[in-house]
Amino acid sequence: MARSNHQFNKRQKELARKKKKEQKRQRKLDKNTIKSEELEESEELEESEELEESEESEESEESEENPNLSQYEGENL
């Protein structure tokens, strides 16, 4: 009669479960990392847009203060 390798099979099944669980954990970490990078990029984009808007508003305020200035005066080319 053949002996059953119950303990070996049980250990192999346990190792497969651990490996699958670790892969799932890694996927979640990668997913969160990608989301956080996208969030940081969007925040940087928003900051740069706000900076550009504030620079444009400053330029328009300067031109309103002195309408005799041409558009290119005051800029260093």
Side-chain angles (χ1 to χ4, degrees), residues 23-72:
Q23 289 173 343
K24 183 176 180 180
R25 186 186 70 83
Q26 190 63 41
R27 279 195 315 268
K28 285 183 178 183
L29 284 176
D30 292 343
K31 185 178 178 182
N32 289 339
T33 303
I34 291 171
K35 283 184 179 180
S36 65
E37 288 174 356
E38 289 175 355
L39 180 62
E40 289 173 0
E41 289 175 1
S42 65
E43 289 174 352
E44 290 173 0
L45 181 62
E46 289 174 0
E47 290 175 0
S48 65
E49 289 174 351
E50 290 174 358
L51 181 61
E52 289 174 359
E53 289 175 0
S54 65
E55 289 175 352
E56 289 174 359
S57 65
E58 289 175 0
E59 289 176 2
S60 64
E61 289 174 0
E62 289 176 2
S63 63
E64 290 173 2
E65 291 173 0
N66 192 354
N68 295 333
L69 285 177
S70 70
Q71 180 181 1
Y72 298 104

Side-chain angles (χ1 to χ4, degrees), residues 3-14:
R3 285 184 68 197
S4 172
N5 266 342
H6 178 70
Q7 202 168 24
F8 176 79
N9 291 336
K10 185 177 177 181
R11 178 71 177 146
Q12 292 301 312
K13 190 174 180 181
E14 181 183 335

